[in-house]
Amino acid sequence: MRTSLALAVSAALVAGTALGLAPAVQAADTGIRFVDIAGEGGTVLKANVVTPAGAGPSARLPLIVLPTSWAMPQIEYLAQAQKLADSGYIVVSYNSRGFWQSGGEIETAGPKDIADASKVIDWALANTPADADHVGMAGVSYGAGISLLAAAHDPRIKAVAALSGWADLIESIYSGRTQHLQAAALLGGAGYLTGRPGPELKEILGDFLSSNLDKEDEMIAWGRKRSPATYLDRINANGAAIMLGNAWGDTIFPPNQYASFYEKLTGPKRLEFRPGDHATAEATGILGLPNDTWTNAHRWFDRHLKGVDNGIDREQPVQLKSRSTGGYEGYPDWKSVHANQRKFDLDGTQRIWANVDSGANGGITLLTNLLDQFLRTPPTVSVPLLPRAFAGVWHSERYDTAQRVRGTAKVHTTVTSTKESGTVVAYLYDVGPLGVGKLVSNAPYTFHGKTPGQPFTVDLELFSTAYDVPAGHRLALVVDTVDALYIEHNPTGAQLTFSSPSADPSYVSVPLREK
């Protein structure tokens, strides 16, 4: 486990360096300036400014501010900044406080980070020919979260493109009341390697990874304070045009929380989901290569900061790219994506022992869903060979026609545990004629304080996806208790029983695209 996390952190940092250095080679021939900006409390933020060629001091041009991703250097966005400047924007990118050469400590999108964003806007309006009435923010991952939070607190921000970010930090890395181990360890490790975590972050990360439930309420409060969803009313009141983009397999910020947030926005909005893992959908664009996500972000700013009639506001606002076909599908809203539900029953009673990995798993953070993005190779298992002592397995009927899964599958079941705590991980597989199952989706669920031997109901949303099940295949739900992606809470010797009472039958509800 430690080895895989170390490799993942190293890969992320190497990738970040490569992404930054490629456009930096061109810096000498462009209008790039490297500057120091005084952030909140006078903390120095290392930044770069890209100005359109020939822009004089009397010009008034739209401004875009780009906070860097977690652990990435200030040159992360230079390729995209140059493209934006070439089309008439002033672009200021800055290294978030606590990372690399910027001062301060890592605040994890706390109040100082939000104030920094406003300070950068202040600086740009005072030191560049930027127009105060046409300000936008964008970013990937950490930069996306900071951009959304800033839009809640600074009404000058008129448009946001938040890519591979979060709206709800708790639902991102603590969904189902389960710590997302690899995600948290990757972020924590990268933070220590490239920055200076503050005492609050150190304490929260330590309590989180050590499963200190005595501090659970404090950890949740800390996460809520850093979640754009907490400030939804302010974002709606300020009226910024919000574009959200994410990957189906994002193992750090899963798509469900973004979709839920999108539905509650009342201003101009757009939601895009594509295959991949965290930030992989935007990666080629960071290198300056053609990239659909960045192309649409530019179109979004052209429409809402420049007023260009480019048609993006007349397109279906929810755009999904299937993991199976690679084609785009448009929907009027998120609820339309999963309006057609088809259930299959979880009949009978199955009992499993906890603490043993059955072989079903969600893969490795960053690596697994990146491979699925480019090679369409999700994690696979032989479903007939899964040990039934450690895995519950249920099948749907065999489908005569292809089933296009779109949106969020839901599991409803009754569980009885021999212990007061436990963790269940549910997996939905596409199973072919030979019994080979390809992972469609998964999600964890943890319970505490239950009475041993007393049944209780579990309702679990799996991570949203877009996947086509071929004709002749069927779906299978597999549940076990161990997955390296998550911290499990199964006491030694625990047994879990899954049943389907006649008064409250168990089932899986699968969202399907209508033909």
Side-chain angles (χ1 to χ4, degrees), residues 159-185:
V160 171
L163 312 177
S164 288
W166 76 91
D168 189 323
L169 194 57
I170 301 303
E171 284 301 309
S172 294
I173 61 173
Y174 195 51
S175 69
R177 207 180 177 186
T178 308
Q179 299 102 312
H180 293 212
L181 172 61
Q182 291 186 18

mmCIF file of all heavy atoms in Angstrom, residues 159-185:
data_model
loop_
_atom_site.group_PDB
_atom_site.id
_atom_site.type_symbol
_atom_site.label_atom_id
_atom_site.label_comp_id
_atom_site.label_asym_id
_atom_site.label_seq_id
_atom_site.Cartn_x
_atom_site.Cartn_y
_atom_site.Cartn_z
ATOM 1 N N ALA A 159 -17.824 34.744 -14.123
ATOM 2 C CA ALA A 159 -17.836 33.433 -14.771
ATOM 3 C C ALA A 159 -16.752 32.556 -14.160
ATOM 4 O O ALA A 159 -15.670 33.047 -13.805
ATOM 5 C CB ALA A 159 -17.629 33.571 -16.273
ATOM 6 N N VAL A 160 -17.050 31.259 -14.051
ATOM 7 C CA VAL A 160 -16.115 30.292 -13.466
ATOM 8 C C VAL A 160 -16.102 29.026 -14.324
ATOM 9 O O VAL A 160 -17.156 28.573 -14.777
ATOM 10 C CB VAL A 160 -16.518 29.923 -12.024
ATOM 11 C CG1 VAL A 160 -15.683 28.761 -11.497
ATOM 12 C CG2 VAL A 160 -16.394 31.132 -11.097
ATOM 13 N N ALA A 161 -14.917 28.475 -14.541
ATOM 14 C CA ALA A 161 -14.772 27.136 -15.113
ATOM 15 C C ALA A 161 -14.028 26.298 -14.081
ATOM 16 O O ALA A 161 -12.819 26.465 -13.889
ATOM 17 C CB ALA A 161 -14.020 27.175 -16.434
ATOM 18 N N ALA A 162 -14.763 25.435 -13.381
ATOM 19 C CA ALA A 162 -14.206 24.630 -12.281
ATOM 20 C C ALA A 162 -14.043 23.193 -12.763
ATOM 21 O O ALA A 162 -15.026 22.468 -12.913
ATOM 22 C CB ALA A 162 -15.120 24.695 -11.063
ATOM 23 N N LEU A 163 -12.797 22.790 -13.010
ATOM 24 C CA LEU A 163 -12.501 21.528 -13.674
ATOM 25 C C LEU A 163 -11.894 20.529 -12.685
ATOM 26 O O LEU A 163 -10.917 20.845 -12.008
ATOM 27 C CB LEU A 163 -11.542 21.764 -14.840
ATOM 28 C CG LEU A 163 -11.929 22.928 -15.776
ATOM 29 C CD1 LEU A 163 -10.880 23.116 -16.850
ATOM 30 C CD2 LEU A 163 -13.312 22.702 -16.376
ATOM 31 N N SER A 164 -12.465 19.345 -12.611
ATOM 32 C CA SER A 164 -12.007 18.289 -11.690
ATOM 33 C C SER A 164 -11.914 18.801 -10.256
ATOM 34 O O SER A 164 -10.961 18.511 -9.535
ATOM 35 C CB SER A 164 -10.646 17.729 -12.148
ATOM 36 O OG SER A 164 -10.796 16.943 -13.300
ATOM 37 N N GLY A 165 -12.912 19.535 -9.848
ATOM 38 C CA GLY A 165 -12.898 20.099 -8.506
ATOM 39 C C GLY A 165 -13.915 19.442 -7.592
ATOM 40 O O GLY A 165 -14.409 18.356 -7.857
ATOM 41 N N TRP A 166 -14.214 20.127 -6.515
ATOM 42 C CA TRP A 166 -15.185 19.606 -5.556
ATOM 43 C C TRP A 166 -16.205 20.688 -5.238
ATOM 44 O O TRP A 166 -15.912 21.884 -5.272
ATOM 45 C CB TRP A 166 -14.498 19.149 -4.273
ATOM 46 C CG TRP A 166 -14.068 20.261 -3.346
ATOM 47 C CD1 TRP A 166 -14.780 20.806 -2.324
ATOM 48 C CD2 TRP A 166 -12.826 20.990 -3.391
ATOM 49 N NE1 TRP A 166 -14.068 21.814 -1.713
ATOM 50 C CE2 TRP A 166 -12.865 21.938 -2.357
ATOM 51 C CE3 TRP A 166 -11.693 20.919 -4.209
ATOM 52 C CZ2 TRP A 166 -11.811 22.831 -2.119
ATOM 53 C CZ3 TRP A 166 -10.645 21.799 -3.978
ATOM 54 C CH2 TRP A 166 -10.706 22.739 -2.928
ATOM 55 N N ALA A 167 -17.409 20.251 -4.938
ATOM 56 C CA ALA A 167 -18.434 21.127 -4.391
ATOM 57 C C ALA A 167 -18.683 20.791 -2.930
ATOM 58 O O ALA A 167 -19.012 21.654 -2.132
ATOM 59 C CB ALA A 167 -19.730 20.998 -5.190
ATOM 60 N N ASP A 168 -18.518 19.509 -2.597
ATOM 61 C CA ASP A 168 -18.718 19.039 -1.225
ATOM 62 C C ASP A 168 -17.505 18.190 -0.851
ATOM 63 O O ASP A 168 -17.349 17.075 -1.339
ATOM 64 C CB ASP A 168 -20.002 18.218 -1.135
ATOM 65 C CG ASP A 168 -20.382 17.872 0.303
ATOM 66 O OD1 ASP A 168 -19.475 17.610 1.111
ATOM 67 O OD2 ASP A 168 -21.598 17.836 0.605
ATOM 68 N N LEU A 169 -16.661 18.725 0.011
ATOM 69 C CA LEU A 169 -15.425 18.032 0.359
ATOM 70 C C LEU A 169 -15.693 16.763 1.151
ATOM 71 O O LEU A 169 -14.975 15.763 1.002
ATOM 72 C CB LEU A 169 -14.513 18.981 1.155
ATOM 73 C CG LEU A 169 -13.056 18.557 1.315
ATOM 74 C CD1 LEU A 169 -12.391 18.326 -0.029
ATOM 75 C CD2 LEU A 169 -12.290 19.608 2.118
ATOM 76 N N ILE A 170 -16.736 16.767 1.972
ATOM 77 C CA ILE A 170 -17.055 15.582 2.763
ATOM 78 C C ILE A 170 -17.544 14.462 1.858
ATOM 79 O O ILE A 170 -17.113 13.307 1.967
ATOM 80 C CB ILE A 170 -18.113 15.905 3.834
ATOM 81 C CG1 ILE A 170 -17.596 17.017 4.767
ATOM 82 C CG2 ILE A 170 -18.464 14.654 4.631
ATOM 83 C CD1 ILE A 170 -16.299 16.696 5.452
ATOM 84 N N GLU A 171 -18.441 14.777 0.938
ATOM 85 C CA GLU A 171 -18.938 13.764 0.008
ATOM 86 C C GLU A 171 -17.861 13.302 -0.969
ATOM 87 O O GLU A 171 -18.015 12.270 -1.621
ATOM 88 C CB GLU A 171 -20.148 14.294 -0.758
ATOM 89 C CG GLU A 171 -21.426 14.315 0.052
ATOM 90 C CD GLU A 171 -21.812 12.932 0.551
ATOM 91 O OE1 GLU A 171 -21.866 11.988 -0.256
ATOM 92 O OE2 GLU A 171 -22.048 12.778 1.772
ATOM 93 N N SER A 172 -16.788 14.047 -1.066
ATOM 94 C CA SER A 172 -15.699 13.665 -1.964
ATOM 95 C C SER A 172 -14.789 12.618 -1.345
ATOM 96 O O SER A 172 -14.520 11.585 -1.946
ATOM 97 C CB SER A 172 -14.879 14.903 -2.344
ATOM 98 O OG SER A 172 -15.634 15.802 -3.124
ATOM 99 N N ILE A 173 -14.290 12.870 -0.141
ATOM 100 C CA ILE A 173 -13.300 11.959 0.437
ATOM 101 C C ILE A 173 -13.796 11.233 1.689
ATOM 102 O O ILE A 173 -13.048 10.493 2.314
ATOM 103 C CB ILE A 173 -11.986 12.702 0.765
ATOM 104 C CG1 ILE A 173 -12.218 13.808 1.800
ATOM 105 C CG2 ILE A 173 -11.352 13.264 -0.498
ATOM 106 C CD1 ILE A 173 -10.934 14.462 2.277
ATOM 107 N N TYR A 174 -15.108 11.416 2.008
ATOM 108 C CA TYR A 174 -15.687 10.726 3.158
ATOM 109 C C TYR A 174 -17.102 10.258 2.835
ATOM 110 O O TYR A 174 -17.956 10.182 3.704
ATOM 111 C CB TYR A 174 -15.676 11.672 4.365
ATOM 112 C CG TYR A 174 -15.899 11.003 5.715
ATOM 113 C CD1 TYR A 174 -15.162 9.896 6.105
ATOM 114 C CD2 TYR A 174 -16.844 11.516 6.605
ATOM 115 C CE1 TYR A 174 -15.365 9.299 7.345
ATOM 116 C CE2 TYR A 174 -17.045 10.939 7.853
ATOM 117 C CZ TYR A 174 -16.304 9.826 8.214
ATOM 118 O OH TYR A 174 -16.503 9.238 9.445
ATOM 119 N N SER A 175 -17.335 9.949 1.570
ATOM 120 C CA SER A 175 -18.679 9.513 1.181
ATOM 121 C C SER A 175 -18.994 8.169 1.823
ATOM 122 O O SER A 175 -18.118 7.340 2.064
ATOM 123 C CB SER A 175 -18.775 9.395 -0.344
ATOM 124 O OG SER A 175 -17.998 8.325 -0.826
ATOM 125 N N GLY A 176 -20.257 7.950 2.120
ATOM 126 C CA GLY A 176 -20.648 6.729 2.804
ATOM 127 C C GLY A 176 -20.017 6.599 4.168
ATOM 128 O O GLY A 176 -19.882 5.492 4.690
ATOM 129 N N ARG A 177 -19.621 7.720 4.750
ATOM 130 C CA ARG A 177 -18.967 7.767 6.065
ATOM 131 C C ARG A 177 -17.693 6.904 6.081
ATOM 132 O O ARG A 177 -17.329 6.326 7.098
ATOM 133 C CB ARG A 177 -19.931 7.328 7.157
ATOM 134 C CG ARG A 177 -19.624 7.916 8.533
ATOM 135 C CD ARG A 177 -20.619 7.453 9.584
ATOM 136 N NE ARG A 177 -20.252 7.970 10.908
ATOM 137 C CZ ARG A 177 -20.872 7.630 12.037
ATOM 138 N NH1 ARG A 177 -21.899 6.785 11.997
ATOM 139 N NH2 ARG A 177 -20.483 8.123 13.190
ATOM 140 N N THR A 178 -17.036 6.854 4.922
ATOM 141 C CA THR A 178 -15.857 6.010 4.754
ATOM 142 C C THR A 178 -14.690 6.847 4.252
ATOM 143 O O THR A 178 -14.825 7.568 3.265
ATOM 144 C CB THR A 178 -16.138 4.883 3.741
ATOM 145 O OG1 THR A 178 -17.325 4.194 4.115
ATOM 146 C CG2 THR A 178 -14.981 3.910 3.672
ATOM 147 N N GLN A 179 -13.549 6.751 4.928
ATOM 148 C CA GLN A 179 -12.386 7.499 4.479
ATOM 149 C C GLN A 179 -11.875 6.944 3.152
ATOM 150 O O GLN A 179 -11.652 5.748 3.018
ATOM 151 C CB GLN A 179 -11.245 7.443 5.503
ATOM 152 C CG GLN A 179 -11.591 8.034 6.848
ATOM 153 C CD GLN A 179 -11.883 6.945 7.864
ATOM 154 O OE1 GLN A 179 -12.636 6.012 7.595
ATOM 155 N NE2 GLN A 179 -11.260 7.053 9.039
ATOM 156 N N HIS A 180 -11.692 7.840 2.178
ATOM 157 C CA HIS A 180 -11.095 7.445 0.909
ATOM 158 C C HIS A 180 -9.575 7.497 1.102
ATOM 159 O O HIS A 180 -8.940 8.542 0.939
ATOM 160 C CB HIS A 180 -11.554 8.383 -0.202
ATOM 161 C CG HIS A 180 -13.025 8.262 -0.505
ATOM 162 N ND1 HIS A 180 -13.543 8.464 -1.766
ATOM 163 C CD2 HIS A 180 -14.093 7.930 0.288
ATOM 164 C CE1 HIS A 180 -14.860 8.282 -1.744
ATOM 165 N NE2 HIS A 180 -15.203 7.965 -0.492
ATOM 166 N N LEU A 181 -9.018 6.377 1.457
ATOM 167 C CA LEU A 181 -7.638 6.298 1.924
ATOM 168 C C LEU A 181 -6.631 6.779 0.896
ATOM 169 O O LEU A 181 -5.796 7.646 1.177
ATOM 170 C CB LEU A 181 -7.316 4.858 2.333
ATOM 171 C CG LEU A 181 -5.848 4.558 2.668
ATOM 172 C CD1 LEU A 181 -5.382 5.387 3.847
ATOM 173 C CD2 LEU A 181 -5.664 3.071 2.946
ATOM 174 N N GLN A 182 -6.660 6.204 -0.298
ATOM 175 C CA GLN A 182 -5.647 6.555 -1.290
ATOM 176 C C GLN A 182 -5.750 8.020 -1.693
ATOM 177 O O GLN A 182 -4.733 8.694 -1.896
ATOM 178 C CB GLN A 182 -5.765 5.643 -2.506
ATOM 179 C CG GLN A 182 -5.359 4.209 -2.226
ATOM 180 C CD GLN A 182 -5.341 3.360 -3.486
ATOM 181 O OE1 GLN A 182 -5.305 3.857 -4.602
ATOM 182 N NE2 GLN A 182 -5.354 2.044 -3.308
ATOM 183 N N ALA A 183 -6.963 8.541 -1.815
ATOM 184 C CA ALA A 183 -7.141 9.941 -2.174
ATOM 185 C C ALA A 183 -6.545 10.862 -1.113
ATOM 186 O O ALA A 183 -5.774 11.783 -1.422
ATOM 187 C CB ALA A 183 -8.621 10.253 -2.364
ATOM 188 N N ALA A 184 -6.892 10.615 0.155
ATOM 189 C CA ALA A 184 -6.384 11.462 1.236
ATOM 190 C C ALA A 184 -4.874 11.343 1.390
ATOM 191 O O ALA A 184 -4.173 12.337 1.610
ATOM 192 C CB ALA A 184 -7.077 11.109 2.545
ATOM 193 N N ALA A 185 -4.354 10.110 1.278
ATOM 194 C CA ALA A 185 -2.910 9.919 1.417
ATOM 195 C C ALA A 185 -2.149 10.571 0.274
ATOM 196 O O ALA A 185 -1.069 11.149 0.474
ATOM 197 C CB ALA A 185 -2.596 8.428 1.481
#
